[in-house]
């Protein structure tokens, strides 16, 4: 049994749909029945309900899997799109809150003792704004009209080592737990993910620089931990979905870039992932988010169809 057979036999309908669409290249028209089965899955239905009311969850912890931005990205990357009313509703709600620079805002409450207003406020941080632009991009919203200006504004914050912790004026003096001059690894990662999905930037000099910033953090992982983002033991554990700063999340983004595929540091990370593949090409989660209990990747006892899909997509991109 190869990994695709395993997924198609053991994966739930939403994952079978993603594999047939994104790996096997089957058309959406031929997958209508499977798509309906996927959309009737209770977990997917819950996700759709949550993203339809996009700003119903305060962004107080960017690692929170319950944030609609993470759920909507998960759905879009599986292959669901705006012809699903709940996804269209979520996209519409993102578009409702944009500042004068074209950057989309999230509902946040930053306490006064952290420099915020201490009340629910629409604003943005560089660790959420790129994801909102990415969501609009993946939902095929008009780039020139709704996305371009925000991307260019966020790019203006780039510094030599990456993207610093940056917030909009609505969030006052708030800053994450690190030195002001350090880059924020997570903001740098999601900015790279955004730019790598835009044809204009995918092979650009700025994208190459940002990729090098992340690879330098890997190279200096024993000594440099900006904003308390480590690349140690926990970072190297296989974990799904690829929504955070860990080895699967970082390599997933980097694997889309031709400019670093021969870089020894990138190869080191890839080989760590590949070394955890079993003889059938399957992967088992080594760490989980508590809130994913009930998903196939929310346990560590047996191979996960979704993690297997995610890791093999990475390996396919780089020819392994």
């Amino acid at each position: 049994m190869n990994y695709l057979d395993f997924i198609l036999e053991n994966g739930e309908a939403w994952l079978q749909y993603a594999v047939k669409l994104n790996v096997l290249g089957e058309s959406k028209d031929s997958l209508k029945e499977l798509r309906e089965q996927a959309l009737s899955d209770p977990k997917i239905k819950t996700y759709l309900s949550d993203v339809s009311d996009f700003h119903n969850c305060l962004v107080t912890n960017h690692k929170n899997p319950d944030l609609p931005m993470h759920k909507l990205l998960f759905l879009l990357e599986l292959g669901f799109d705006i012809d699903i009313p709940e996804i269209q509703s979520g996209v519409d709600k993102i578009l409702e809150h944009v500042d004068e620079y074209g950057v989309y805002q999230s509902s946040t409450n930053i306490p006064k003792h952290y420099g915020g207003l201490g009340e629910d406020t629409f604003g943005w941080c560089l660790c959420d704004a790129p994801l909102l632009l990415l969501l609009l991009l993946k939902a095929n919203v008009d780039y020139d009209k709704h996305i371009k200006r925000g991307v260019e504004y966020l790019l203006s914050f780039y510094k030599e080592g990456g993207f610093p912790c940056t917030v909009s004026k609505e969030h006052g003096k708030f800053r994450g737990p690190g030195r002001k001059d350090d880059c924020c690894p997570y903001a740098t990662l999601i900015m790279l993910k955004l730019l790598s999905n835009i044809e204009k930037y995918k092979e650009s000099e700025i994208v190459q620089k940002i990729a090098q910033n992340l690879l330098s953090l890997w190279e200096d992982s024993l000594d440099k931990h900006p904003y308390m983002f480590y690349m140690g033991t926990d970072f190297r554990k296989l974990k799904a979905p690829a929504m955070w700063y860990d080895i699967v999340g970082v390599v997933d983004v980097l694997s889309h870039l031709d400019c670093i595929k021969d870089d020894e540091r990138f190869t080191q990370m890839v080989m760590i992932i590949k070394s955890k593949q079993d003889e059938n090409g399957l992967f088992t989660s080594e760490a989980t988010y508590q809130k994913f209990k009930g998903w196939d990747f929310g346990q560590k006892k047996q191979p996960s169809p979704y993690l297997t899909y995610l890791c093999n997509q990475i390996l396919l991109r780089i020819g392994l």
Side-chain angles (χ1 to χ4, degrees):
M1 177 184 293
N2 66 31
Y3 82 92
L4 286 177
D5 293 331
F6 169 77
I7 293 172
L8 293 174
E9 290 184 20
N10 297 277
E12 295 178 86
W14 53 269
L15 182 55
Q16 292 180 34
Y17 176 77
V19 167
K20 291 189 175 186
L21 183 69
N22 301 327
V23 181
L24 300 178
E26 298 184 28
S27 69
K28 289 190 175 182
D29 284 344
S30 69
L31 296 173
K32 286 181 179 179
E33 184 176 343
L34 182 57
R35 183 175 182 266
E36 289 306 311
Q37 292 177 31
L39 293 175
S40 67
D41 182 289
K43 297 186 295 298
I44 298 297
K45 289 172 72 173
T46 297
Y47 266 40
L48 289 171
S49 175
D50 290 344
V51 304
S52 69
D53 189 10
F54 192 82
H55 295 296
N56 69 334
C57 181
L58 284 175
V59 180
T60 56
N61 175 4
H62 290 87
K63 195 178 181 180
N64 179 8
D66 280 339
L67 292 180
M69 67 180 74
H70 293 315
K71 294 182 176 181
L72 182 52
L73 185 57
F74 179 79
L75 292 169
L76 289 169
E77 290 189 333
L78 287 177
F80 301 116
D81 48 40
I82 56 173
D83 66 349
I84 299 169
E86 293 90 342
I87 291 180
Q88 181 66 68
S89 175
V91 169
D92 289 342
K93 285 181 168 58
I94 294 172
L95 291 169
E96 287 174 3
H97 296 276
V98 61
D99 71 8
E100 64 268 36
Y101 304 106
V103 181
Y104 294 89
Q105 302 165 310
S106 296
S107 181
T108 310
N109 189 322
I110 297 177
K112 289 183 178 179
H113 59 273
Y114 285 129
L117 297 177
E119 59 188 47
D120 295 0
T121 308
F122 275 95
W124 58 264
C125 301
L126 204 49
C127 44
D128 53 53
L131 286 180
L132 298 195
L133 288 164
L134 178 63
L135 291 173
L136 297 180
L137 191 68
K138 286 187 174 290
N140 293 314
V141 171
D142 187 278
Y143 179 80
D144 289 332
K145 185 176 180 181
H146 294 291
I147 301 171
K148 180 181 178 181
R149 198 158 60 95
V151 171
E152 292 177 349
Y153 182 69
L154 294 186
L155 260 175
S156 71
F157 292 102
Y158 179 77
K159 295 185 177 180
E160 185 177 347
F163 287 89
C165 182
T166 307
V167 301
S168 62
K169 62 180 183 297
E170 292 85 0
H171 295 330
K173 298 180 180 179
F174 172 75
R175 186 166 56 82
R179 295 188 305 177
K180 186 177 181 179
D181 293 334
D182 280 345
C183 81
C184 171
Y186 181 64
T188 300
L189 176 67
I190 60 174
M191 277 298 297
L192 183 60
K193 182 163 186 169
L194 169 63
L195 296 171
S196 68
N197 277 273
I198 301 171
E199 197 61 37
K200 173 184 176 181
Y201 292 109
K202 187 170 183 180
E203 298 300 331
S204 66
E205 183 179 351
I206 185 64
V207 157
Q208 292 181 43
K209 286 182 178 179
I210 299 167
Q212 289 297 320
N213 295 148
L214 290 170
L215 291 170
S216 293
L217 288 172
W218 172 259
E219 186 176 7
D220 299 325
S221 60
L222 295 178
D223 304 311
K224 294 184 179 179
H225 317 117
Y227 285 89
M228 298 176 68
F229 282 93
Y230 293 82
M231 286 178 141
T233 302
D234 287 343
F235 174 90
R236 298 166 196 234
K237 292 179 179 177
L238 300 186
K239 192 174 188 179
M243 55 163 274
W244 195 241
Y245 187 76
D246 52 38
I247 195 163
V248 175
V250 171
V251 175
D252 180 58
V253 173
L254 291 172
S255 67
H256 288 85
L257 306 176
D258 291 335
C259 61
I260 53 89
K261 285 185 178 177
D262 294 326
D263 191 292
E264 181 181 355
R265 296 162 297 180
F266 175 66
T267 301
Q268 288 171 356
M269 285 192 278
V270 170
M271 295 313 294
I272 287 174
I273 292 175
K274 187 164 178 57
S275 70
K276 302 180 182 190
Q277 187 179 34
D278 72 14
E279 64 275 11
N280 295 313
L282 312 184
F283 291 87
T284 301
S285 298
E286 298 176 308
T288 62
Y289 296 94
Q290 287 286 353
K291 292 181 179 179
F292 286 121
K293 188 177 181 180
W295 294 81
D296 72 59
F297 47 88
Q299 52 78 40
K300 298 181 285 186
K301 295 182 179 179
Q302 57 192 21
S304 157
Y306 177 70
L307 180 65
T308 294
Y309 163 74
L310 199 58
C311 291
N312 276 288
Q313 283 288 83
I314 291 170
L315 298 177
L316 277 172
R317 280 184 214 118
I318 56 179
L320 292 179

